[in-house]
Amino acid sequence: MKTITKHYIDGSFIESHGREVMDIIKPTNRRLIGRVTLADEQDTRHAIAAAKHGFDSFGRSTKEERAKILRRLHEAASARLDDLTAAMVEEYGGVVQFAGVIVESGINAFLAAEKALQELPLTRGWGDTTVTLEPVGVAGLITAWNANALFICLKLASAVAAGCTVVIKPSELSAIQTQVLVEALHEADLPKGLLNVVTGRGNIVGAELVRNPDIAKISFTGSVSVGKSIMRDAAETMKRITLELGGKSPTILLDDAVLDKAIPSALIMAFMNSGQACAAGTRLLVPKSRLDQVKRAIMNAMPAFPVGDPADPKTAVGPMVSQKQYEQVQSYIRKGIEQDAELLVGGEGHPKGFETGYYVKPTVFVNVKNDMTIAREEIFGPVLSVIAYDSEDEAIRIANDSNYGLHAAVLGTDLQRARRVASQIRSGRVVINNMTDDPQAPWGGFKYSGVGREYGRYGIEAFLETRAILG
């Protein structure tokens, strides 16, 4: 039983002024494993004041000084890699085969940011004009529950590289994971006020960050509805914003794809992080002429994606994060059935033997139309919609017929053709044949998937403003 009562402010762990206590429930069995005392507006203002004071000096730091801090952050977080992974498995229910990769990606974000910083010219000049890239100020970082360590480390790394101090509001559903991470980062011997973390609800802590005039920048990962609210409210104080708001990612399977390779890749992208991933490829577009073959290939591949204990390396799909998320996924499965999509595998209810946790059945619908609810809305669970197309042009049209544009994939043997198709998809990232990553490539989306970009120099630039001095 873990009890968390402190926030991290101005380099110290401080008892919460807020008094609301929230239970932490283990998603595999619904047992109480901890309690966290949530921050209130006063805690948040205390953290903002510390960050503002810290910015007075850190905002004038050199590239070399920031690079040293990024290396120390990487070293400090690396020392707790196993603990961070274990916390994600226990509190969130992330399957260990995915959690380890996610946590390591977060830790490596510090070195990736250092590399990008070294390659980013902060000063340019011509004639009597000098243009410098200046840190925007104190940044409010609001992160989601499905990849806690990744989001915190990624946003923190970019902000530090830019010379900003931060106040982080992680999801209250990630309190244990956050505690382990902050304990690790505390060992990096950071300047006072650089890192401040207050765990609380979005309508209290997040709202204070968005409306407080001492916050210059908001970087948010989460839902479209909250992103819209942040965009509206941040305008009152002219905040700079970066919003990463999810997706309904298409995977286009071309007619030359080798199904024994392509279908497992498609299912990995659909079910990664138990489907609780903004980049999940939840729309699989297949040639109508190969639909029957695809259905058989999916059925043959499904045994490789077992539901189970997330701590077991063989498990591919773990529980949903909460009862609320479980019920949301169930409601979408029901809508798919009601709208006459063909249920190929899965369906409503718990998988057999996993009735006590927030587990859902990995579900695949076929003969889905792109105007069905399950093809339009982000489900955030292991539910895949298979949509048939007649031609390459139709596949591209269906892929782009979405409010979202965060991530996409193209599967096929002719790489030149796959790249041509990829270049016509309106998404911030498109991968070919496998779920790959590049920590220097921009991350972010078109349309309702958000505003701005993260990762590499693109993420650092989001925390910078230009200043020109003439004469």
Side-chain angles (χ1 to χ4, degrees):
M1 180 78 167
K2 298 175 176 66
T3 303
I4 301 169
T5 63
K6 296 180 179 180
H7 309 292
Y8 190 74
I9 300 174
D10 208 21
S12 300
F13 290 93
I14 306 295
E15 285 290 339
S16 179
H17 178 271
R19 288 293 174 260
E20 181 185 357
V21 177
M22 190 189 81
D23 290 342
I24 302 171
I25 305 299
K26 189 171 183 175
T28 56
N29 55 23
R30 310 188 198 204
R31 291 179 181 170
L32 179 69
I33 58 172
R35 289 191 174 94
V36 56
T37 303
L38 302 179
D40 62 9
E41 289 91 344
Q42 185 166 320
D43 292 311
T44 312
R45 291 172 193 142
H46 184 188
I48 293 170
K52 182 181 180 182
H53 186 260
F55 182 71
D56 291 341
S57 55
F58 187 66
R60 298 193 301 271
S61 60
T62 65
K63 180 182 286 191
E64 291 70 26
E65 289 168 335
R66 298 172 199 172
K68 288 179 181 177
I69 289 173
L70 288 166
R71 288 194 293 271
R72 294 205 304 270
L73 284 165
H74 176 262
E75 182 179 358
S78 295
R80 299 291 297 274
L81 170 61
D82 291 343
D83 294 338
L84 288 165
T85 302
M88 184 174 178
V89 172
E90 179 188 34
E91 181 180 39
Y92 165 63
V95 296
V96 69
Q97 61 172 270
F98 185 81
V101 173
I102 282 292
V103 170
E104 195 165 0
S105 295
I107 292 171
N108 288 337
F110 296 116
L111 293 186
E114 184 206 358
K115 181 178 187 293
L117 175 62
Q118 300 292 8
E119 297 172 356
L120 177 63
L122 298 180
T123 303
R124 292 184 60 204
W126 57 89
D128 293 328
T129 298
T130 301
V131 177
T132 57
L133 296 176
E134 302 291 331
V136 67
V138 178
L141 314 180
I142 305 174
T143 63
W145 43 259
N146 60 316
N148 184 68
L150 172 63
F151 295 139
I152 290 178
C153 292
L154 172 63
K155 293 178 189 294
L156 174 61
S158 295
V160 168
C164 295
T165 56
V166 307
V167 179
I168 302 175
K169 191 216 88 68
S171 170
E172 62 274 22
L173 296 177
S174 306
I176 294 174
Q177 298 167 76
T178 298
Q179 182 72 14
V180 176
L181 180 57
V182 174
E183 287 173 359
L185 300 182
H186 176 68
E187 298 302 317
D189 189 26
L190 302 174
K192 291 191 71 174
L194 170 58
L195 171 64
N196 305 274
V197 183
V198 280
T199 295
R201 298 193 183 278
N203 61 350
I204 297 174
V205 176
E208 179 62 31
L209 290 175
V210 172
R211 65 175 171 251
N212 193 295
D214 288 331
I215 295 288
K217 161 84 180 182
I218 292 289
S219 179
F220 169 77
T221 298
S223 69
V224 171
S225 60
V226 176
K228 288 179 179 180
S229 174
I230 288 173
M231 203 171 200
R232 287 191 298 267
D233 295 344
E236 186 67 28
T237 49
M238 288 295 174
K239 285 179 173 49
R240 279 58 180 153
I241 59 170
T242 299
L243 304 174
E244 196 270 271
L245 306 179
K248 193 67 185 177
S249 301
T251 298
I252 297 180
L253 187 145
L254 298 174
D255 56 18
D256 66 348
V258 177
L259 295 188
D260 288 349
K261 295 181 179 179
I263 292 303
S265 291
L267 293 178
I268 287 171
M269 287 186 272
F271 297 150
M272 63 178 170
N273 206 12
S274 306
Q276 297 176 122
C278 50
T282 53
R283 290 186 298 150
L284 176 59
L285 281 50
V286 305
K288 194 170 292 183
S289 61
R290 301 194 71 184
L291 180 57
D292 287 341
Q293 293 176 315
V294 167
K295 290 163 67 172
R296 288 194 295 271
I298 290 173
M299 293 302 296
N300 290 337
M302 283 301 294
F305 297 87
V307 174
D309 178 358
D312 184 342
K314 295 179 182 178
T315 297
V317 179
M320 301 297 94
V321 70
S322 65
Q323 178 69 25
K324 178 182 177 182
Q325 191 63 25
Y326 169 83
E327 291 173 355
Q328 175 172 300
V329 176
Q330 293 298 312
S331 72
Y332 278 110
I333 293 172
R334 284 193 295 274
K335 286 177 184 175
I337 294 169
E338 291 165 0
Q339 294 180 0
D340 294 327
E342 179 187 337
L343 183 63
L344 182 67
V345 63
E348 290 186 78
H350 295 88
K352 187 176 180 180
F354 294 95
E355 291 80 9
T356 58
Y358 303 133
Y359 290 94
V360 303
K361 299 173 184 176
T363 297
V364 179
F365 286 102
V366 296
N367 292 320
V368 175
K369 306 300 181 186
N370 202 48
D371 59 357
M372 291 182 179
T373 302
I374 57 172
R376 305 302 300 178
E377 298 182 13
E378 187 174 40
I379 298 172
F380 232 60
V383 181
L384 174 63
S385 295
V386 178
I387 303 169
Y389 67 84
D390 285 312
S391 67
E392 182 181 297
D393 287 343
E394 186 185 19
I396 294 167
R397 181 188 62 75
I398 294 171
N400 290 332
D401 180 17
S402 173
N403 287 335
Y404 295 100
L406 179 66
H407 198 272
V410 180
L411 307 177
T413 55
D414 183 339
L415 295 182
Q416 186 174 355
R417 179 191 181 195
R419 281 187 167 272
R420 185 185 73 243
V421 172
S423 70
Q424 299 176 71
I425 301 176
R426 299 281 289 173
S427 283
R429 272 196 191 185
V430 186
V431 298
I432 295 175
N433 287 332
N434 289 296
M435 188 66 189
T436 57
D437 187 32
D438 181 345
Q440 300 300 329
W443 175 260
F446 288 54
K447 298 178 280 189
Y448 280 50
S449 286
V451 176
R453 294 294 183 267
E454 299 183 278
Y455 281 80
R457 69 178 294 166
Y458 306 92
I460 298 170
E461 287 171 346
F463 291 89
L464 294 167
E465 292 278 22
T466 55
R467 179 175 63 203
I469 298 178
L470 288 67

